Amino acid sequence: MRRKLVAANWKMNGSSAANAQWLAAWRDVSAPCDVVVCAPFVYLPQVGAGLAGSGAELGAQNLSAQAPGAYTGEVAGEMLSDVGCRWVIVGHSERRALYGETNELVAGKAARAIALGLKPIACVGETLTERDAGRTLEVVAAQMAALLAQCPVEQLAFGALAYEPVWAIGTGRTATPAQAQEVHAAIREQLARADAQAAQRTRILYGGSVKPGNARELFAQPDIDGGLIGGASLVAAEFAAICAAAS
Ligand code: PEP
């Protein structure tokens, strides 16, 4: 039985004051699932301290594929561990689209995270053009194949995967539970071809305009093991309501 996992992706949002308010509200929440909060780099120490004792774990939104050294502006996985991160998102579609991250680079970042004991949340998903062309499963399979080329399944199971259709992220347009389940099942089948037991252990999250009103039906699908939540995670009460739907 896979325990549900709900992760907040704050993206490039927040301030010291706004984070403090969020963390104060979170203190009253008792979530029935595993919870991760992925904050911007500069706020990781603040958010880590604020989450202490709440059961929620700290995550980052990206890491360098390199070891520490002369890489101006980058942040190494070692530094994330050093400030208390247990998790890190890799391959978010915004990083793929806006910062040119390729399938291979994303897989390298996942491998580097795993090597450092950080749990990657590795994101995959198709664009609207790809879905409309009937290429969803092919595109996701290629993203998964690149991940599997650098990270054995039992290592991916250490972290989590996130299926995030690009057309559903921040658009208010959610995949239907059936659309999401179809892709989640295909991902799990692909994992199972390499290692059936590890595939059963791997948590596959859905991301894309998850809200308190649609979370329960999505999370009820057999291969949906929780969510990666963007916009709705910025309000502690909304995020808590989504976590409650993962009971
Ligand atoms: C995300 O950024 O990972 C995401 C799913 O965003 P939203 O929930 O806002 O669609």
Side-chain angles (χ1 to χ4, degrees):
M1 186 68 182
R2 296 178 296 272
R3 187 169 156 81
K4 292 264 193 286
L5 167 66
V6 179
N9 174 16
W10 285 0
K11 312 195 190 199
M12 198 171 72
N13 292 294
S15 65
S16 302
N19 302 344
Q21 267 189 3
W22 195 103
L23 291 162
W26 185 256
R27 251 177 247 135
D28 299 327
V29 174
S30 162
C33 57
D34 290 343
V35 175
V36 177
V37 179
C38 300
F41 289 136
V42 293
Y43 296 128
L44 289 171
Q46 179 196 13
V47 176
L51 292 177
S54 77
E57 295 190 317
L58 183 66
Q61 300 170 16
N62 184 27
L63 83 166
S64 171
Q66 316 295 332
Y71 300 99
T72 303
E74 290 286 280
V75 175
E78 285 86 341
M79 298 168 183
L80 300 181
S81 298
D82 187 37
V83 298
C85 282
R86 305 289 303 277
W87 295 82
V88 60
I89 297 171
V90 298
H92 191 279
S93 65
E94 286 152 14
R95 297 215 56 86
R96 291 175 186 265
L98 303 173
Y99 304 101
E101 294 199 5
T102 61
N103 286 347
E104 289 65 36
L105 178 64
V106 170
K109 289 186 173 195
R112 175 129 189 89
I114 290 164
L116 294 168
L118 278 166
K119 300 177 182 193
I121 300 175
C123 303
V124 296
E126 82 288 0
T127 63
L128 188 56
T129 311
E130 289 162 344
R131 174 161 283 268
D132 287 346
R135 296 185 53 227
T136 297
L137 296 183
E138 172 203 330
V139 167
V140 171
Q143 293 169 334
M144 285 301 308
L147 277 170
L148 287 165
Q150 296 193 51
C151 309
V153 189
E154 73 274 7
Q155 293 189 3
L156 289 178
F158 169 66
L161 296 164
Y163 167 57
E164 298 208 306
V166 179
W167 47 272
I169 296 179
T171 58
R173 200 180 146 185
T174 320
T176 64
Q179 281 174 323
Q181 167 58 26
E182 181 193 21
V183 181
H184 283 236
I187 292 172
R188 199 175 308 283
E189 268 173 41
Q190 190 172 357
L191 295 174
R193 284 195 288 277
D195 183 334
Q197 286 188 347
Q200 279 310 313
R201 284 200 309 276
T202 308
R203 291 187 285 190
I204 309 175
L205 314 183
Y206 169 78
S209 297
V210 178
K211 306 275 181 249
N214 59 22
R216 193 168 291 281
E217 209 189 340
L218 285 160
F219 296 168
Q221 301 303 307
D223 288 292
I224 299 184
D225 305 310
L228 180 55
I229 318 300
S233 74
L234 297 175
V235 178
E238 271 197 54
F239 184 62
I242 292 170
C243 292
S247 55

